[in-house]
């Protein structure tokens, strides 16, 4: 390499090296973008997007130690993309809460889109994953992609790996998948079964049931929450996330029994539900 007598690098050579580094950096970014697009190639085009990276100062209540490689297997050089299709008339509140928790654990590239099957959505739905992120195309800086598409679908659907995995349908099932990425699943079968039971019951009786089913669910919640602060005992869990979101979405919070109202206030005080309340107005 040509050098000056005092040991300094020739400026022309240094400029060439810097240019090569910049070219390589941009090629790497383009490769990461292409890798991400290949994973979402089966997702229909969107007409409007708001790419975001969400940050929140609230400390997560979940302290799992698993990482994405151990949970999903190694996928070198490509962003792991989660793509969710949801109807704007039924915002998946529990998934928004879990998105915030994932952002506390990983570097998440988040985006919101509107599909052509939907004429338009209110502004709160476009900003439900947080403020727009200006550096959204540097995909190699992120560990996880989280794309929410408002679309005219009869049932919520999540696509993760179009090559290796069938779509997951239903908010409760997608919530279970996202929760596992936090590495905080109950370790004993009894707690895991109780958690699944609360989630399924909340969906069937609160989200999809009539007045009698909702009243019965609220009585069950009130009884359980009279014995412990959270549905599984002393620790906040996915059961609390899904059940609280179902109560709020069913507009039952103001008329709920005392223990349920205290519990909803405790959920709110954790700070993980701040993204939900603007969508309830």
């Amino acid at each position: 390499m040509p050098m000056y007598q005092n040991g300094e690098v020739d400026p022309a050579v240094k400029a060439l090296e810097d240019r090569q580094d910049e070219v390589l950096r941009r090629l790497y970014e383009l490769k990461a973008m292409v890798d991400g697009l290949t994973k979402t190639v089966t997702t229909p085009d969107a007409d409007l997007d708001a790419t975001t990276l969400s940050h929140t100062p609230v400390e997560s209540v979940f302290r799992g130690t698993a990482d994405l490689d151990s949970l999903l297997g190694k996928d070198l050089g490509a962003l792991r993309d989660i793509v969710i299709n949801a109807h704007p008339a039924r915002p998946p509140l529990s998934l928004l809460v879990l998105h915030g928790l994932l952002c506390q654990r990983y570097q998440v590239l988040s985006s919101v889109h509107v599909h052509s099957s939907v004429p338009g959505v209110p502004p709160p739905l476009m900003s439900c994953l947080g403020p727009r992120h200006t550096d959204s195309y540097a995909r190699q800086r992120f560990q996880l992609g989280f794309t929410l598409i408002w679309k005219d679908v009869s049932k919520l659907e999540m696509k993760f790996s179009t090559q290796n995995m069938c779509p997951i349908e239903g908010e409760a099932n997608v919530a279970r998948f996202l929760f596992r990425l936090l590495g905080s699943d109950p370790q004993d079968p009894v707690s895991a079964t109780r958690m699944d039971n609360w989630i399924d019951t909340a969906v069937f009786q609160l989200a999809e049931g009539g007045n009698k089913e909702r009243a019965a669910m609220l009585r069950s919640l009130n009884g359980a929450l009279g014995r412990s602060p959270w549905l599984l005992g002393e620790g906040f869990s996915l059961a609390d996330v899904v059940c609280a979101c179902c109560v709020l979405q069913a507009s039952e919070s103001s008329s709920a029994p005392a223990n349920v109202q205290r519990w909803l206030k405790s959920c709110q005080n954790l700070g993980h539900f701040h993204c939900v309340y603007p969508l309830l107005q």
Side-chain angles (χ1 to χ4, degrees), residues 3-280:
M3 304 181 67
Y4 292 118
Q5 291 183 353
N6 60 4
E8 294 181 355
V9 178
D10 188 324
V13 175
K14 183 65 167 61
L16 180 60
E17 290 179 341
D18 291 342
R19 184 177 178 183
Q20 289 175 334
D21 290 341
E22 176 65 16
V23 169
L24 289 173
R25 184 188 68 80
R26 295 186 65 182
L27 285 173
Y28 184 82
E29 290 184 0
L30 288 171
K31 178 182 181 301
M33 289 176 61
V34 171
D35 289 338
L37 289 172
T38 58
K39 287 189 174 184
T40 58
V41 67
T42 59
T43 302
D45 55 331
D47 300 319
L48 181 63
D49 75 278
T51 303
T52 64
L53 173 64
S54 299
H55 294 285
T56 172
V58 180
E59 185 177 358
S60 176
V61 293
F62 301 119
R63 304 185 181 280
T65 57
D67 57 27
L68 288 178
D69 285 343
S70 64
L71 293 167
L72 302 173
K74 290 186 178 296
D75 192 4
L76 300 177
L79 185 69
R80 294 174 169 90
D81 279 299
I82 294 170
V83 180
I84 297 171
N85 294 321
H87 199 289
R90 299 180 296 275
L93 302 185
S94 66
L95 306 189
L96 302 184
V97 174
L98 290 167
H99 165 266
L101 291 166
L102 288 170
C103 287
Q104 294 173 344
R105 182 68 183 278
Y106 306 107
Q107 289 293 321
V108 181
L109 176 62
S110 308
S111 60
V112 180
H113 304 263
V114 179
H115 187 258
S116 57
S117 61
V118 176
V121 299
L125 293 182
M126 292 305 300
S127 58
C128 63
L129 298 185
R132 184 178 179 85
H133 181 57
T134 58
D135 197 19
S136 59
Y137 294 107
R139 293 172 62 89
Q140 77 277 8
R141 301 182 184 180
F142 303 94
Q143 298 169 282
L144 196 64
F146 194 105
T147 301
L148 175 60
I149 301 176
W150 298 118
K151 183 179 177 182
D152 186 8
V153 291
S154 59
K155 181 176 288 188
L156 182 141
E157 178 185 73
M158 187 203 83
K159 300 176 182 178
F160 177 69
S161 173
T162 57
Q163 291 82 18
N164 305 319
M165 180 176 167
C166 295
I168 298 176
E169 290 189 343
E171 181 175 346
N173 293 326
V174 175
R176 290 183 174 100
F177 176 86
L178 298 180
F179 186 68
R180 290 191 177 98
L181 299 184
L182 296 169
S184 300
D185 276 342
Q187 297 302 306
D188 64 286
V190 174
S191 295
T193 301
R194 290 176 58 208
M195 185 178 76
D196 280 335
N197 181 66
W198 277 118
I199 292 170
D200 290 337
T201 306
V203 171
F204 295 142
Q205 294 191 245
L206 282 173
E208 301 175 359
N211 292 333
K212 290 184 178 180
E213 288 82 7
R214 292 179 181 178
M217 180 64 183
L218 289 174
R219 288 194 297 270
S220 297
L221 287 171
N222 196 57
L225 295 168
R227 297 185 292 271
S228 60
W230 305 107
L231 291 176
L232 296 189
E234 297 300 318
F236 183 77
S237 72
L238 180 62
D240 298 289
V241 173
V242 174
C243 289
C245 288
C246 285
V247 171
L248 293 171
Q249 200 156 34
S251 301
E252 297 287 348
S253 57
S254 60
S255 59
N259 292 332
V260 176
Q261 293 204 25
R262 173 190 54 76
W263 165 71
L264 289 173
K265 185 64 176 179
S266 297
C267 290
Q268 185 178 7
N269 289 340
L270 288 176
H272 302 308
F273 289 76
H274 68 280
C275 57
V276 166
Y277 289 93
L279 306 185
L280 300 174

